[in-house]
Amino acid sequence: MVDYVAGEVVRPLDVGFRGRTLRILDSGYRWLHFAPVSANHAVTVQLDQHLEPVQIYVDICDGHGIDPDGVPFTHDLYLDVLAVCEVQADGTWHVTATEMIDVAELNEALTAGQITPTQFELAWAEAKRVEGQLNANAFPALDVIRAYLRDQRDLNSPP
């Protein structure tokens, strides 16, 4: 798990999502990045300064790990799945919309020989699987990230 909290942000970062604008980075925002072992995706949840999720960004990849120098890497397969959610009264996150992005980049990578036909098929299969799990509110990586946040909150709470 990589846990990044932004300090003072001079220029906030806004992105488009299904016809609306989401602010995904500003002062005090927190990004949690999780790359499940043996999975073909890595997840970044972007949270606002109140720890409310703004966007869930899933990179589709052909593996990830740590190189001999200790530097993390991801074999990106271009295709990404985005999601937004609402926080329920009990604190759970309910995904309300998803979107696949960078389809043209995936197609260009195949045409240019940057990925194999097998990797192309893997990217589509994984993206569809992830999107289905997100829409069903059954994406295991989000459970791990929420548990991490809960544990962090418990560690920082006064006795």
Side-chain angles (χ1 to χ4, degrees):
M1 184 80 65
V2 175
D3 187 344
Y4 167 76
V5 178
E8 184 178 340
V9 173
V10 177
R11 189 176 351 158
L13 177 59
D14 295 331
V15 297
F17 178 85
R18 300 182 92 191
R20 63 183 185 183
T21 301
L22 302 176
R23 175 148 297 164
I24 62 168
L25 181 64
D26 204 346
S27 300
Y29 277 41
R30 188 171 180 180
W31 288 20
L32 295 173
H33 180 79
F34 174 58
V37 176
S38 303
N40 289 310
H41 61 266
V43 183
T44 302
V45 175
Q46 292 131 347
L47 305 149
D48 67 17
Q49 69 273 25
H50 306 293
L51 297 181
E52 297 284 326
V54 178
Q55 178 177 257
I56 300 161
Y57 191 104
V58 184
D59 284 298
I60 305 302
C61 61
D62 188 10
H64 41 77
I66 299 176
D67 72 13
D69 296 324
V71 177
F73 67 87
T74 297
H75 292 288
D76 188 19
L77 289 179
Y78 303 93
L79 199 56
D80 302 301
V81 180
L82 306 180
V84 293
C85 63
E86 294 177 348
V87 178
Q88 305 300 298
D90 64 359
T92 59
W93 300 349
H94 179 78
V95 171
T96 57
T98 59
E99 179 179 24
M100 277 192 215
I101 63 168
D102 300 332
V103 172
E105 287 182 27
L106 176 67
N107 292 332
E108 290 167 12
L110 178 64
T111 300
Q114 295 169 325
I115 61 170
T116 66
T118 301
Q119 289 173 312
F120 180 87
E121 293 300 323
L122 170 68
W124 273 113
E126 182 69 1
K128 289 175 184 176
R129 189 179 71 76
V130 165
E131 186 175 47
Q133 288 179 333
L134 285 165
N135 284 319
N137 289 292
F139 186 46
L142 289 185
D143 295 333
V144 172
I145 292 169
R146 284 191 300 260
Y148 173 82
L149 281 169
R150 200 171 32 254
D151 291 347
Q152 293 297 305
R153 189 174 46 247
D154 291 347
L155 287 173
N156 295 318
S157 296

